[in-house]
Amino acid sequence: MKILVANNCVPFVRGGAEHLADALTQKLIEFGHEAMLVRIPFRWEPPTKILDSMLACRLMRLQNVDRVIAFKFPAYYLPHDNKFLWLVHQFRQVYDLWGTPYQGMEETTENLSVRRSIIEADNTYLREARRIYTNSATTSDRLRRFNQIPSEVLYPPLLETSHFRFGEPGGYIFCAGRITTSKRQHLLVEAMRHVRTEVRLVVAGKSEAEGDAQQIEQLIRKFNLSSRVTVIDRFISEEEKATFFADSLGAAYIPFDEDSYGYVTMEAFYSGKAVITTSDSGGILQIVRHSETGYVAEPTAQSLAEAMDRLYEDRAAARTWGRAGYDLIQNMGLTWEHVIATLTAE
Amino acid sequence: MASTVVPFLCGGYTVIVDSLADQLARAGHEVEVLKFPFSSHHDELLEQMTALRLLDLTEHGDRLITIRFPSYLLRHPKKVVWFIHHHRGAYDLWGTRYQDIPLTPEGIRIRDSIINADRLGLSECHRIFSNSKVVAKRLKQYNSIDAEVLYPPLPQAANYHCAGYGDTVLYLNRLVHHKRQWLAIEAMRHVRTDVKLLIVGKADPDATAYVDELHALVHRHKLKDRVTIFDDWIDENRKCTLFAECLAAAYFPVEEDSYGYPSLEAHQSGKAVLTTADSGGTLELIIDGRNGLIASPEPIAIAAALDELYTNRARTQAMGEAGVARMRELGISWDHVLDRMLS
């Protein structure tokens, strides 16, 4: 089959959805299909520009394509009569983020009309798709709640898993991923002030903006935690990452209301490690279950400190929960075979 | 960088897009390549042109390099175009049997819109390059625009080498009627030496009848001992070996815009190129008797040239070895392309 994978993009910026689109394209080819990735540049400032991007998508014509698999707003507006969606997210600013500090647009008459147009277009054009899959229960819930459109969850697998390996629980909690305010690495550092045990913390990942890592470093100095907290502010290789996971006591991943369960969580489970998360972390809670596959703390420094101490003092639990996490993702069908079969079905 | 593409069909322009991106990245630049699916059907042109105009790249990247029609409609304060060809049905092919837009009031409006949009998009460009003199001439003639000729170099020149001069002339290209592989087979009926012809290439999706015709031609004229057709895609290694071992290369397209990558591949392998006097772009590269031969597009004339290549081997080799110097003379190198693209 000739499959066009459609995503939008901000030139020179890459995140989870971009990696997923790349991975799907590559895997489709490995499974014997012809696949091509199209990335539609998307701009949301000023908000009226959003309408231009939406219209541009509607005006594109796809020739010599048997199926479209689209990920994001507004790329899913591309017209095609054999379109599947693997929805990563809609334009959240006008849905669940509306009325929160992340709304991102002022409530002017013009912007309210932009918001209405987006919702109406979603209500109209999302239904063109022959099938709608989403990347998480959170995304499906929103789609049902805001647009009354049903969908099925199709969990994105990790691109490559063979390098992750089990290791005996070590002495540190490992926090992988981009260092940025919304992932709240700073809260983990603050938690380290309150721990009673000798547990240590390793934070590794490239900082998103210049100030992000500096803020963390300042906290470490301020609270005199440099012997207990290590920050590696750079891109780490997959092999390095696998080693950090293998030798860790457990992992921590506490983003605010993430849509999906997070690659980091899966990487931890592939390494047989329990995951500490917080009760407001959104999609992460789908696979991190308290006292089963990890520890669900309150989003406070004290509660996170208790979580870290718990893993440190009860290594048997740390080991058991981590292995249970591994079993869980195996049983959930989080494999590319399953994804490709689903997305290329008639 | 941005270009329109026909999904799942590779062409010379896709090689240009990918290899330029690769060279820019190697030179240490951050490169993002956006490929927009584009249908060339006249009924769908205007809305797709509007779509490109609506996308806003103005705040991304220090420079936007656009390649295929009409990607130069994208907006950017520092926009460069490497112009490959017009939508020819609206220009030089208008009024010929290749005109793909109907001669109706609506068709005329579509043509005028294309011409107006080209004027707008191109006039916004900081630099305008074309891939050949033929295309630069059309830009001058139809759009009154001066373009600088910037010849596309080979993506991977270092892969090619020379491993001697065999008995076989290699015709490597897409199998499609206007590339005139059939003319090469016709010529083989008239050769007097033991020169052999090897035709290699993948058929265009709608050209299977043409491939059957080529096989039938070989059969009918009992040429199968001397003409071989391999009608499939070959990998890069196999291709390099074929060029390394051949006597010379042949390329007889009708009025092609550019010299074609196989001509450069031949030169990079130390091989002369035999082409025809009506082949267009190859004539910008090949000088008769210096780095190849130019025959008149008739079987008997081509047969004589093939015999000449086979018989006068010292000359054939000397012409082959002159190829790289000729490429240098025309500025066919990535250093030159990057230098101009970023100027």
Side-chain angles (χ1 to χ4, degrees):
Chain A
M1 204 178 333
K2 289 174 182 159
I3 303 169
L4 193 91
V5 178
N7 200 6
N8 50 270
C9 76
V10 177
F12 304 104
V13 178
R14 299 194 144 251
E18 283 72 25
H19 291 299
L20 181 59
D22 286 342
L24 175 63
T25 311
Q26 185 190 325
K27 291 291 174 184
L28 284 166
I29 293 167
E30 280 174 30
F31 280 76
H33 298 281
E34 288 184 77
M36 173 188 166
L37 174 62
V38 167
R39 297 151 65 225
I40 313 287
F42 175 50
R43 195 177 153 177
W44 54 88
E45 264 313 315
T48 45
K49 282 277 177 193
I50 300 168
L51 302 181
D52 288 352
S53 305
M54 292 162 67
L55 180 56
C57 288
R58 287 308 291 174
L59 292 174
M60 291 199 177
R61 298 291 173 260
L62 306 179
Q63 178 196 25
N64 200 29
V65 172
D66 300 323
R67 170 157 303 167
V68 171
I69 301 173
F71 282 98
K72 271 203 209 170
F73 172 90
Y76 54 63
Y77 289 156
L78 287 175
H80 195 269
D81 53 15
N82 194 0
K83 181 165 64 177
F84 277 29
L85 299 193
W86 195 8
L87 189 67
V88 173
H89 55 73
Q90 297 168 265
F91 192 63
R92 295 183 54 192
Q93 283 87 330
V94 301
Y95 290 110
D96 58 299
L97 297 181
W98 185 263
T100 75
Y102 305 103
Q103 178 177 316
M105 52 169 96
E106 283 178 61
E107 285 182 46
T108 60
T109 319
E110 194 172 58
N111 288 349
L112 283 168
S113 133
V114 169
R115 178 176 185 237
R116 258 197 319 278
S117 303
I118 294 172
I119 296 170
E120 274 172 31
D122 273 355
N123 286 337
T124 309
Y125 298 124
L126 280 170
R127 289 172 208 277
E128 281 181 350
R130 286 191 48 223
R131 298 249 203 300
I132 302 181
Y133 298 99
T134 69
N135 65 332
S136 75
T138 313
T139 311
S140 280
D141 283 345
R142 289 195 197 121
L143 193 57
R144 189 179 313 108
R145 186 150 45 104
F146 295 115
N147 310 88
Q148 291 79 49
I149 294 175
S151 59
E152 269 179 63
V153 179
L154 180 64
Y155 291 105
L158 279 182
L159 180 56
E160 198 48 67
T161 56
S162 59
H163 55 299
F164 292 109
R165 55 189 181 274
F166 290 2
E168 278 308 302
Y172 63 90
I173 299 291
F174 183 50
C175 176
R178 279 175 300 129
I179 297 178
T180 173
T181 320
S182 70
K183 306 271 184 200
R184 299 191 293 198
Q185 285 91 350
H186 59 94
L187 196 54
L188 289 170
V189 173
E190 283 180 45
M192 289 301 288
R193 293 167 63 196
H194 304 284
V195 295
R196 294 172 285 100
T197 62
E198 294 300 303
V199 68
R200 287 176 294 122
L201 174 67
V202 176
V203 175
K206 180 109 189 67
S207 51
E208 195 163 279
E210 213 142 282
D212 290 335
Q214 283 162 0
Q215 189 204 353
I216 303 261
E217 299 278 8
Q218 268 171 11
L219 278 178
I220 293 170
R221 273 197 304 275
K222 183 170 158 199
F223 300 127
N224 214 2
L225 291 167
S226 57
S227 61
R228 314 274 300 282
V229 180
T230 309
V231 176
I232 303 165
D233 174 24
R234 63 174 165 83
F235 175 82
I236 59 167
S237 71
E238 282 295 305
E239 191 43 51
E240 274 181 286
K241 186 163 65 181
T243 303
F244 272 123
F245 271 121
D247 296 340
S248 70
L249 171 61
Y253 190 52
I254 57 165
F256 175 70
D257 202 11
E258 185 129 315
D259 294 352
S260 185
Y261 46 71
Y263 279 117
V264 176
T265 326
M266 293 189 63
E267 290 168 345
F269 285 168
Y270 266 105
S271 310
K273 299 298 172 180
V275 175
I276 295 171
T277 191
T278 44
S279 55
D280 62 351
S281 286
I284 313 298
L285 301 170
Q286 294 165 57
I287 56 173
V288 178
R289 295 167 192 161
H290 190 61
S291 284
E292 285 177 35
T293 57
Y295 191 111
V296 180
E298 292 308 307
T300 62
Q302 284 82 0
S303 180
L304 283 164
E306 278 168 39
M308 292 195 246
D309 283 337
R310 173 72 198 276
L311 289 191
Y312 193 84
E313 286 173 338
D314 191 351
R315 300 200 172 209
R319 189 185 295 108
T320 310
W321 296 345
R323 302 295 158 94
Y326 180 83
D327 292 340
L328 178 70
I329 53 175
Q330 297 301 313
N331 296 335
M332 284 169 75
L334 296 175
T335 60
W336 282 106
E337 283 81 0
H338 177 66
V339 166
I340 302 296
T342 308
L343 293 177
T344 58
E346 262 317 294
Chain B
M1 290 182 51
S3 184
T4 59
V5 295
V6 180
F8 308 108
L9 282 186
C10 293
Y13 73 90
T14 55
V15 179
I16 290 182
V17 174
D18 294 339
S19 55
L20 176 58
D22 182 46
Q23 295 290 338
L24 285 164
R26 278 196 219 180
H29 302 283
E30 273 186 84
V31 187
E32 187 82 272
V33 182
L34 298 175
K35 294 178 181 175
F36 299 101
F38 197 83
S39 152
S40 296
H41 194 270
H42 67 87
D43 258 351
E44 302 179 323
L45 289 174
L46 299 192
E47 58 259 47
Q48 297 178 94
M49 287 156 64
T50 311
L52 290 170
R53 197 70 187 158
L54 285 167
L55 296 173
D56 190 338
L57 293 171
T58 50
E59 284 173 15
H60 296 295
D62 303 318
R63 184 165 299 226
L64 174 68
I65 300 174
T66 60
I67 309 285
R68 184 171 175 260
F69 165 84
S71 54
Y72 39 82
L73 285 172
L74 288 162
R75 281 184 267 204
H76 195 275
K78 202 99 181 190
K79 180 165 70 177
V80 171
V81 61
W82 199 356
F83 196 86
I84 306 299
H85 56 74
H86 288 88
H87 184 89
R88 296 180 59 188
Y91 288 98
D92 59 307
L93 300 182
W94 180 267
T96 73
R97 71 189 177 98
Y98 299 107
Q99 176 184 331
D100 59 349
I101 303 170
L103 193 59
T104 59
E106 197 198 348
I108 290 168
R109 278 200 296 275
I110 292 172
R111 181 196 66 173
D112 291 347
S113 300
I114 292 170
I115 295 170
N116 285 335
D118 280 350
R119 181 189 306 130
L120 173 68
L122 292 171
S123 71
E124 292 168 343
C125 286
H126 164 68
R127 294 248 186 282
I128 299 174
F129 302 102
S130 75
N131 63 334
S132 68
K133 279 187 196 162
V134 176
V135 171
K137 209 172 123 196
R138 281 194 208 124
L139 277 168
K140 184 71 182 168
Q141 183 183 346
Y142 296 105
N143 312 88
S144 309
I145 284 172
D146 291 309
E148 176 181 337
V149 178
L150 199 53
Y151 292 108
L154 276 182
Q156 304 279 359
N159 291 356
Y160 294 88
H161 64 283
C162 179
Y165 296 81
D167 296 336
T168 301
V169 171
L170 176 63
Y171 198 127
L172 188 140
N173 224 289
R174 276 189 304 140
L175 299 181
V176 60
H177 195 272
H178 69 263
K179 299 284 187 188
R180 292 199 298 202
Q181 285 88 355
W182 54 269
L183 184 57
I185 297 172
E186 290 285 353
M188 286 300 286
R189 295 170 62 193
H190 305 282
V191 295
R192 292 164 187 200
T193 61
D194 286 332
V195 67
K196 295 186 172 53
L197 174 67
L198 172 59
I199 293 174
V200 179
K202 189 160 170 56
D204 273 12
D206 51 354
T208 47
Y210 173 62
V211 176
D212 294 344
E213 193 186 310
L214 291 180
H215 283 290
L217 209 55
V218 172
H219 185 73
R220 191 180 327 137
H221 298 304
K222 301 188 171 47
L223 289 168
K224 87 176 158 42
D225 293 343
R226 285 187 286 147
V227 178
T228 307
I229 301 174
F230 185 76
D231 56 4
D232 202 355
W233 183 84
I234 57 167
D235 69 26
E236 193 70 14
N237 277 337
R238 180 88 189 103
K239 183 166 78 174
C240 293
T241 306
L242 290 177
F243 275 111
E245 293 171 354
C246 70
L247 172 65
Y251 188 39
F252 313 143
V254 186
E255 286 297 335
E256 196 67 73
D257 291 351
S258 62
Y259 45 66
Y261 283 115
S263 306
L264 297 189
E265 288 164 337
H267 279 354
Q268 205 67 48
S269 309
K271 303 302 157 71
V273 177
L274 168 60
T275 189
T276 42
D278 61 350
S279 287
T282 53
L283 306 176
E284 293 178 38
L285 175 69
I286 307 302
I287 297 173
D288 192 32
R290 181 172 157 199
N291 57 334
L293 295 175
I294 299 170
S296 109
E298 291 130 23
I300 291 175
I302 293 170
L306 288 167
D307 283 337
E308 160 69 17
L309 290 171
Y310 184 85
T311 312
N312 202 343
R313 283 172 177 262
R315 185 182 182 225
T316 303
Q317 180 171 346
M319 291 192 298
E321 286 166 355
V324 170
R326 175 63 181 152
M327 284 161 62
R328 204 176 307 127
E329 198 171 279
L330 291 172
I332 307 177
S333 77
W334 283 112
D335 284 347
H336 180 63
V337 169
L338 262 52
D339 185 48
R340 297 304 301 142
M341 279 291 158
L342 302 175
S343 64

